[in-house]
Amino acid sequence: TREFRDLISLLEVRLHPEVQRSVCMLHHAGLGFRHIFVSLDGTTTGPNSFSGPLGTLAGGDLTELRPRTFTPLVPANPILLPPRVERGLSNDQKQLYRHIQAACAGKMPPKVARSKIGPLCHARWITIQTRIVRLFMSSVNTVHYCKLRKLVRYIIDIYFPLHMDIKYRYSIVYGAVHPFKELKLIRDCVKGLKDTNICFEVLKNNCYFAHPHSILLSMLADPLFDIRKRAIELIHYIRSSEVSYHGYFLPKFNVKATSYIDMCTMINVDDKLCYINIFDDYIPVTEPPLTRGLNLHLYYNSPFKSDLSCHTQAVERAVALTTRVSKTVCGRINQTAEAMLIIEGRRARSR
């Protein structure tokens, strides 16, 4: 997904037109937690292990730890999911949600204490987060309490609300809205300059949905008429400028943005709308691939809609599967065959 010789860029070279990039937002949502965890506990030592004490404890058998009495954690943004929504969650999501409820209540119910959490895997950070919350609610060395509390607060206040918002506002038209929500949550909830800067760096290095293509799509789908009108005017201006494609570059992310529109700086340069990329270069803005050929006047009356998703849980499952087969067999062909056999086995068991 990077600028040079990545898979999407090679597809653009092969197919000629530029393509709409939609990077999995669920995967992105866990990156902030991952970097804060590494800063507190150290790096990984393998596909299923960490170098620090918290990672080592979290990877053990947590059912052997006794629940402890602790002060309830009051969430900055309380989330109470209705039963209908909870039934639609995956097993990993249900586990994390029930552990968060227990942490906010100040007591771990026996059902939660007996529940078996999936194995530690760097490709599935939601499992690691559930283990961290369980560890916080269990009898562990008080030396780790401050670090555990900081991690659990991040999970409750930032990761889980963002994860649920991405899951249920899944359309690509919300692509620019989600990173702005993450930015607001970081500014409101993360304490300490070091942790704040870590989160900001993650946003700057992974701001695919702050690209003008995504911002213009979100503006065109905005419920406010004035914002949709501005998007239509900008796209018409781009069409009239006859801008040639200069390649895909990540924008320079504005951590002081007051709306999702401000996450990327777009200005006029030589009668062309340009944005500033991560190298501080001015790059001409092209029309979003999804709006090409559309009659934009239709969106004065109703917002733009798309069934394309800004996330897929299959990304994390694919990463976990690739990690698993790479430890089993060698060679690209053998690893592909092994992965296909595992996938076919899962389909057979589900029938």
Side-chain angles (χ1 to χ4, degrees):
T1 53
R2 302 298 287 185
E3 300 92 281
F4 306 109
R5 307 301 293 175
D6 61 87
L7 178 60
I8 301 177
S9 292
L10 292 173
L11 278 172
E12 288 179 339
V13 171
R14 186 67 179 268
L15 301 174
H16 298 298
E18 56 183 316
V19 296
Q20 183 75 42
R21 300 191 182 216
S22 178
V23 178
C24 181
M25 280 300 299
L26 283 181
H27 188 72
H28 166 86
L31 293 178
F33 172 84
R34 176 175 181 170
H35 283 76
I36 289 179
F37 184 91
V38 168
S39 74
L40 292 174
D41 196 55
T43 58
T44 61
T45 56
N48 302 308
S49 58
F50 288 93
S51 59
L54 287 182
T56 303
L57 286 170
D61 185 2
L62 301 181
T63 57
E64 295 180 354
L65 299 176
R66 293 180 291 105
R68 68 176 181 88
T69 304
F70 58 93
T71 304
L73 297 179
V74 180
N77 302 283
I79 289 185
L80 184 61
L81 301 179
R84 174 183 58 81
V85 174
E86 187 178 349
R87 285 194 295 270
L89 301 179
S90 68
N91 289 333
D92 288 343
Q93 290 166 337
K94 285 179 184 176
Q95 285 249 359
L96 180 57
Y97 175 58
R98 289 166 184 171
H99 278 74
I100 287 174
Q101 282 184 311
C104 295
K107 182 179 180 181
M108 182 160 52
K111 184 177 180 180
V112 173
R114 291 193 304 268
S115 63
K116 186 177 179 181
I117 307 172
L120 202 66
C121 178
H122 300 324
R124 301 297 299 274
W125 278 87
I126 193 169
T127 305
I128 298 173
Q129 289 164 348
T130 307
R131 286 178 166 271
I132 290 295
V133 180
R134 171 77 71 87
L135 205 58
F136 172 78
M137 298 188 292
S138 303
S139 299
V140 294
N141 194 329
T142 53
V143 173
H144 309 306
Y145 175 78
C146 290
K147 291 182 179 180
L148 280 171
R149 183 181 173 85
K150 181 183 288 188
L151 291 170
V152 173
R153 284 242 66 110
Y154 186 95
I155 294 167
I156 292 174
D157 292 338
I158 299 176
Y159 174 77
F160 194 73
L162 183 64
H163 186 99
M164 288 294 100
D165 196 33
I166 294 167
K167 183 174 175 63
Y168 290 102
R169 291 204 293 176
Y170 61 86
S171 174
I172 196 172
V173 300
Y174 298 109
V177 176
H178 296 314
F180 179 67
K181 178 176 180 176
E182 182 179 7
L183 176 63
K184 288 199 301 181
L185 290 173
I186 290 169
R187 290 194 300 221
D188 293 343
C189 304
V190 175
K191 308 300 181 185
L193 182 62
K194 180 183 176 182
D195 292 338
T196 302
N197 286 337
I198 288 172
C199 294
F200 283 168
E201 282 302 309
V202 171
L203 279 173
K204 290 176 183 178
N205 294 330
N206 299 275
C207 55
Y208 299 97
F209 278 110
H211 190 276
H213 285 174
S214 297
I215 290 176
L216 288 171
L217 275 184
S218 293
M219 290 175 67
L220 200 60
D222 199 286
L224 297 178
F225 171 78
D226 289 342
I227 295 179
R228 293 202 307 275
K229 180 182 177 182
R230 178 61 177 155
I232 293 169
E233 290 171 350
L234 286 173
I235 294 173
H236 278 309
Y237 182 74
I238 294 167
R239 287 178 177 179
S240 65
S241 301
E242 298 181 355
V243 176
S244 59
Y245 181 51
H246 286 69
Y248 183 91
F249 296 90
L250 281 179
K252 186 175 183 178
F253 190 83
N254 177 19
V255 296
K256 297 180 180 180
T258 55
S259 74
Y260 68 85
I261 301 170
D262 302 327
M263 292 190 301
C264 172
T265 303
M266 289 186 276
I267 57 175
N268 268 311
V269 177
D270 297 331
D271 295 326
K272 292 180 181 179
L273 185 65
C274 296
Y275 71 97
I276 303 175
N277 71 1
I278 54 175
F279 307 115
D280 287 325
D281 298 324
Y282 292 98
I283 307 297
V285 177
T286 55
E287 182 179 352
L290 290 184
T291 65
R292 288 177 188 168
L294 297 181
N295 180 5
L296 298 179
H297 293 285
L298 297 174
Y299 305 111
Y300 280 116
N301 299 321
S302 60
F304 174 77
K305 295 180 181 179
S306 174
D307 291 330
L308 292 177
S309 178
C310 66
H311 78 81
T312 170
Q313 288 178 235
V315 170
E316 290 191 354
R317 294 192 180 107
V319 173
L321 179 59
T322 304
T323 304
R324 175 181 170 184
V325 299
S326 64
K327 295 188 296 180
T328 308
V329 294
C330 297
R332 185 182 64 180
I333 296 175
N334 292 336
Q335 289 173 355
T336 302
E338 180 73 12
M340 295 303 294
L341 286 172
I342 293 173
I343 293 171
E344 193 57 39
R346 289 173 180 169
R347 288 174 180 167
R349 287 194 297 271
S350 65
R351 294 189 185 113

